[in-house]
Every structure is written in structure tokens, then in C-alpha cells.
Amino acid sequence: MHLIKIFILSIVLFTNISFAQKKIAYCSNQSRSGFLQIFTMNEDGSGIKQLTDLEENCMKPRWSPDGKQLVFYSDKGLIYLIRNAESSTPITPFYLWSGYNPFFLPDGDQIMFNGEYEQVLSIFVIDTAQYGTEPSLVSGGGYSNMQVLSKDGNTLIYSTFEAGSKVIVAADLNDTTENYLKQISNNNEANLEPDISPDGTKIIYSSFDNNLKGTVKLNVNGNETSLTKGLGSSNVPRFSPDGKNISFVVINGSDVSLYIMDSEGNGKKDLNINGGSVGTFQWMDNDKIIYDAGTETKTNIGIVNIKTGNSKIILEGGFHLHPSAQN
């Protein structure tokens, strides 16, 4: 009798573990139309499902905080929303607004994206809870993009032009005065791809010199420190969910490698991922990073464990891009 109970318990535990897999959204040309379309799969590469069938290339899907909705944009500059992305028969995505690079805000009812305001790229927020609402402009100044939001949703960090130079600024979204913007970067280089630590105390970004060589910089209380000198051109630094580590790419010619270091810039390590040169990547949790990597003829999706060093391709055979894991 005890053996039967143990056997049943084992089945239950195994079933719960299998259900614990995160869903991965991505775009792929392995579609009925041949255009890049939005797909989902389990994190082991199983359960592939095509969600869209549009006559345009779909890019950069992002999950809502509750893991039920997806937002993405197309090469026509159109933003689409899928309300029930986890359903076996998800509804046809509906057009939301014109723009690029959309992602959900923490409340799950608003989406931030890039769009044009008076022919200048800017940052907007639109409410998805009510159909037909118009977006609100949240950025100031010229050409603003590469935005990220603090975990509490109160601070917006982005890259913009100031006095002819690309700088990193922080916007206090609770400040209704004219002083809501504060410049973070304090150098004369082109500052791009910012990120903010989960506790909101650290900001990282890449500064590119006149030779287009990037260096990851850390800013704490206005003090700027270079973290990646001597590694080649470094870009797209991203904090791990717990803020203890930073992932980033190093570009040497046509080769793009994925690196890791701690939040102070120590312990830099090439993760030696499988699949080719890195395109995009995202933290899945504190131990795993999902990425796309490849060549001019194919792009794979893989997952690397930063602790074990194990890098595994979970999808190959065609162009598979922009993986995004459920939160």
C-alpha cells in the first residue's frame, strides 16, 4: 500500500513539474505564409503553436505580467495585441496603434511603445482595458527610445538627444512638475540601452565612442563607473531579476558573444552559447537566459544556465527570433 502511495505521489510531482514549464513566445518564418509570425512553445521546445497568420513580418512579442496576453509589432509599424495567447484557439490579434517595441506596464492594462510625435520618435503609453483610447505622450525632448521601466513602475529610463548628444535620462512618473526629467549619464559619448536594477538603486547603459566601441557603465547616485574596458565593444547590459548579475553582449567584428558579470563588474565570463552569434536575449529567471543566435542562413533559439554553463538549443531549422519567456 505504501509503495502504491509513493508511486501515485511521484506521478503527481512529475505532473506538477511538467506544468511548471514557462511558455516561450517568439517569431519564426516557419509559417504557412512564409512571413515571420508569432508562435509559442514550452521551454523544452515542445508544444509549438502558431498564433498569427498576417501578411506582414511580426516581431518582438512580449508577455503581459499575468502571462495571458501578448503584444508585438510588425514591419509595417503596426502594434497588435493577442488577448488570450494561452488559449488553444486564440482570437485573431487586433490592431492597437502605430508604433514599435511595445511592452506591458506592471498593471497589465497599459502598453508602452515607441511612436512618432511631430515626426520625432517618442515614447507613448496606451490603455488596453478600453477599446478606442488614444495614447499619451510620456517622453520629452527629441528622439527618445530604448525605454525601460523600474520594477515599481514609477521611474522611466530611456535614451534621448540632449545638446546633440545621446544621453540617458530618468523620468519620475509621479512628478507632475517640469522637473520630472533628470539626466543620468555624464559623459560625451553616445549612451544607449539602459537598464535599472530591481531595487531601483543602480542604472546601467552602454556608452559608444567615436569609433563605435561600446563600454558598459554603471551609475549609482550620479557616479559613473566603466565596467567592461578591454573586452571589445560591449552593449545591451541587463540586470538579472534579483539584481545580482548583469548579462551583456560583446561584439568583435561579425561575432557577437553573450557575457555575464556580477552587478559590480567582477567575474566577467563568456557564456560560450551554442547556435552562433547572439541576436537578442532575455533573463528567464536568476539562473537562465533565453536567446536567439545564428548566421545569415539560420537563427536558433537556445537557453543557457549561467551557473552550470550548459547551453542548449531548443529550436532550430529556419529563422527563429526574439524569444520572450512568461514572467
Side-chain angles (χ1 to χ4, degrees):
M1 181 65 71
H2 291 297
L3 290 176
I4 293 176
K5 287 183 177 180
I6 293 173
F7 178 70
I8 293 174
L9 179 60
S10 298
I11 293 176
V12 171
L13 289 174
F14 178 79
T15 302
N16 288 336
I17 291 171
S18 65
F19 286 155
Q21 285 201 74
K22 290 185 177 182
K23 287 287 186 181
I24 309 298
Y26 64 99
C27 53
S28 172
N29 70 342
Q30 303 300 291
S31 62
R32 293 181 287 271
S33 65
F35 287 96
L36 289 172
Q37 298 297 313
I38 304 300
F39 290 74
T40 60
M41 63 178 169
N42 299 320
E43 65 179 89
D44 62 2
S46 65
I48 293 175
K49 180 172 62 178
Q50 182 174 339
L51 300 190
T52 64
D53 193 13
L54 305 174
E55 291 192 0
E56 50 194 308
N57 290 307
C58 303
M59 295 178 284
K60 292 191 175 181
R62 289 295 180 265
W63 291 98
S64 59
D66 63 5
K68 295 180 180 180
Q69 304 179 79
L70 280 171
V71 67
F72 63 95
Y73 74 99
S74 75
D75 58 355
K76 293 182 179 180
L78 307 177
I79 296 175
Y80 292 93
L81 181 65
I82 302 176
R83 285 286 191 194
N84 57 340
E86 281 205 311
S87 170
S88 58
T89 56
I91 62 173
T92 301
F94 69 88
Y95 164 72
L96 188 63
W97 205 262
S98 297
Y100 311 89
N101 303 311
F103 63 87
F104 284 91
L105 269 60
D107 63 7
D109 291 330
Q110 298 181 88
I111 289 172
M112 184 170 285
F113 65 95
N114 292 121
E116 290 196 354
Y117 176 73
E118 296 182 348
Q119 298 183 329
V120 176
L121 192 67
S122 303
I123 303 170
F124 293 86
V125 169
I126 190 169
D127 192 330
T128 66
Q130 297 183 15
Y131 292 96
T133 59
E134 293 192 1
S136 300
L137 179 68
V138 294
S139 63
Y143 202 93
S144 303
N145 64 343
M146 300 181 181
Q147 62 271 13
V148 294
L149 200 62
S150 61
K151 189 175 182 180
D152 60 14
N154 294 327
T155 305
L156 175 66
I157 310 291
Y158 60 95
S159 179
T160 189
F161 275 106
E162 183 68 35
S165 180
K166 202 78 159 108
V167 301
I168 304 300
V169 298
D172 184 346
L173 300 182
N174 293 321
D175 190 342
T176 58
T177 71
E178 295 181 354
N179 301 317
Y180 76 105
L181 279 180
K182 176 184 178 183
Q183 183 171 326
I184 300 299
S185 57
N186 50 25
N187 61 76
N188 295 321
E189 299 180 335
N191 296 278
L192 310 171
E193 298 290 356
D195 196 24
I196 185 169
S197 61
D199 63 5
T201 63
K202 300 176 181 178
I203 297 173
I204 49 176
Y205 43 88
S206 290
S207 297
F208 283 80
D209 61 21
N210 292 331
N211 297 315
L212 300 181
K213 182 177 180 180
T215 301
V216 172
K217 295 190 176 180
L218 171 68
N219 195 300
V220 181
N221 296 324
N223 297 315
E224 194 176 73
T225 304
S226 297
L227 300 184
T228 61
K229 280 189 174 181
L231 271 183
S233 189
S234 305
N235 197 15
V236 201
R238 292 292 179 264
F239 281 107
S240 58
D242 61 8
K244 294 181 179 180
N245 291 294
I246 299 171
S247 56
F248 61 102
V249 296
V250 174
I251 308 165
N252 286 301
S254 60
D255 182 61
V256 183
S257 303
L258 184 60
Y259 273 69
I260 193 79
M261 60 183 170
D262 69 23
S263 61
E264 303 298 327
N266 302 311
K268 301 176 185 68
K269 180 173 65 174
D270 186 346
L271 292 175
N272 293 310
I273 57 98
N274 293 325
S277 287
V278 177
T280 64
F281 64 90
Q282 181 193 74
W283 286 93
M284 294 182 67
D285 53 37
N286 293 320
D287 297 336
K288 294 180 293 186
I289 299 173
I290 190 166
Y291 62 88
D292 64 57
T295 65
E296 293 182 355
T297 59
K298 65 177 181 178
T299 308
N300 313 300
I301 292 178
I303 297 175
V304 59
N305 188 303
I306 67 168
K307 290 186 176 179
T308 66
N310 180 51
S311 175
K312 180 182 179 181
I313 298 299
I314 62 172
L315 187 62
E316 57 186 340
F319 285 95
H320 311 294
L321 306 165
H322 310 156
S324 176
Q326 283 176 317
N327 296 325

